[in-house]
Amino acid sequence: MTSKRIYLVLSLLVLVSMMVTACAPAPTPTPVPPTPVPPTKAPAPTAVPPTAVPPTPVPPTATPLPPTATPKPTPFAVKVGTDATFKPMEYKDEKTGAIIGFDVDLLNAICAELGCTATYENMTFDGLRQAGLAKKYDLSISSWTITDERTKQVAFSDPYLTTGLAVAVRGDEKVIVGPETISKTHKIGVQLATTGAEEGNKIAQKVGATVKSYDDITLALADLAAGRVDVVINDGPVTADYIISNPNAKLKMVGKLLTTEDYGILVRKEDTALLTKINAALKKLKDGGKMTELMKKWGLAQ
Ligand code: ARG
């Protein structure tokens, strides 16, 4: 073979190889290790935070804010003077020793309106008014009858309960059938410094009877049962409660009520702001039916 031929053959070979290469599939690229892709699970439906919810457009309203939106009154403490021997008005729970009763519930309801918390100072009724004047407490709830004589010294809230004085005798009493049949042979039992004492003294002066005064009206009623006094003059609801709660005492009430009396909450004359608040709360409780509810609870509904 001549060198020319060799050259031709070689050129042909190169050409063919080039053509073969051109037609051959593109060389497979060196496999690149797959980049680790985080699992492409369909993303769990993310809980949409409530704030993400587009606010439902609320049509502008002219409704005024409800009364609950009014700011709460600043809490304050009140010291309350009472003589807790006057069931069902204010007395000590036999088991717990706690002071309970209609008046306590009423004051708690007033405090719920005004934002106060009450703590009690228990003392005899006889010393209660003076203790108030001496600032031993802030207010007194203790079945106080609103009287002209008392309002010269202290102030009272608007009336919250109307009652009257009742005459109690032993179940077998024949002579005393009402206040006008009390005579000079009789001993009248009363609680010191009360309107009952005032009436008892009036009758005693008129007919010449004697008066025996007690610090605690339940002692007078027990003495009546025991024959140590002949008649007890005291607030009707309290005497009625005693007769029902102590059937063994065998007492009864006779005649009509001696008086009609309104109960009020006592404050010092200068504490006018407190008095205004108490009266506003009382009005709410009367208008809203709470007063009637409490009267029913404690057997005082007329
Ligand atoms: N209502 C009568 C008065 O004001 C008796 C009140 C007695 N109260 C008492 N908690 N013992 O004179």
Side-chain angles (χ1 to χ4, degrees):
M1 239 204 270
T2 63
S3 64
K4 215 175 175 185
R5 263 191 105 131
I6 288 174
Y7 177 78
L8 190 66
V9 168
L10 275 176
S11 302
L12 267 171
L13 272 174
V14 167
L15 191 69
V16 166
S17 99
M18 279 173 69
M19 284 170 69
V20 165
T21 312
C23 293
T28 324
T30 323
V32 176
T35 322
V37 173
T40 52
K41 261 204 233 154
T46 324
V48 181
T51 46
V53 178
T56 321
V58 177
T61 168
T63 318
L65 287 175
T68 47
T70 49
K72 283 217 161 162
T74 326
F76 63 104
V78 281
K79 243 197 220 171
V80 181
T82 199
D83 168 23
T85 58
F86 222 50
K87 187 167 170 258
M89 303 305 296
E90 47 268 332
Y91 64 104
K92 279 192 174 170
D93 184 298
E94 267 177 37
K95 285 181 201 126
T96 65
I99 296 175
I100 56 171
F102 173 88
D103 278 350
V104 175
D105 277 1
L106 177 61
L107 192 66
N108 284 340
I110 290 171
C111 269
E113 291 291 334
L114 304 182
C116 45
T117 16
T119 50
Y120 287 86
E121 293 283 315
N122 193 19
M123 58 190 90
T124 55
F125 194 74
D126 186 28
L128 208 45
R129 202 186 335 170
Q130 278 309 319
L133 294 170
K135 306 206 172 180
K136 297 262 162 61
Y137 56 74
D138 302 305
L139 63 89
S140 172
I141 192 158
S142 200
S143 310
W144 282 103
T145 299
I146 303 168
T147 70
D148 291 344
E149 187 266 323
R150 288 172 178 164
T151 32
K152 282 180 195 148
Q153 267 194 320
V154 290
F156 287 101
S157 70
D158 293 334
Y160 63 86
L161 195 74
T162 302
T163 64
L165 292 172
V167 174
V169 293
R170 282 179 292 279
D172 59 3
E173 173 65 51
K174 300 268 158 29
V175 178
I176 305 172
V177 292
E180 39 325 291
T181 46
I182 299 171
S183 66
K184 75 165 188 267
T185 56
H186 295 132
K187 270 191 185 162
I188 307 171
V190 296
Q191 184 182 12
L192 215 54
T194 61
T195 49
E198 223 175 278
E199 284 304 309
N201 284 321
K202 263 194 223 164
I203 295 171
Q205 267 182 9
K206 201 161 110 192
V207 303
T210 45
V211 172
K212 193 160 186 231
S213 302
Y214 297 82
D215 270 344
D216 175 338
I217 200 67
T218 58
L219 300 178
L221 289 160
D223 265 9
L224 175 61
R228 284 190 277 268
V229 293
D230 305 298
V231 54
V232 166
I233 297 176
N234 179 47
D235 298 32
V238 175
T239 296
D241 184 283
Y242 184 90
I243 292 173
I244 293 165
S245 312
N246 299 275
N248 293 338
K250 295 194 175 65
L251 303 181
K252 63 180 178 186
M253 292 200 283
V254 287
K256 284 186 290 195
L257 292 180
L258 264 170
T259 53
T260 303
E261 308 188 359
D262 283 328
Y263 287 171
I265 296 166
L266 180 152
V267 298
R268 281 179 292 276
K269 269 184 185 290
E270 65 267 29
D271 292 341
T272 50
L274 179 61
L275 189 59
T276 307
K277 282 193 208 170
I278 291 173
N279 281 336
L282 271 179
K283 183 168 178 354
K284 265 198 184 176
L285 297 173
K286 284 180 195 168
D287 293 351
K290 181 74 183 177
M291 190 69 84
T292 315
E293 183 196 303
L294 291 182
M295 285 169 70
K296 281 191 190 140
K297 174 180 170 186
W298 293 99
L300 300 166
Q302 278 108 3

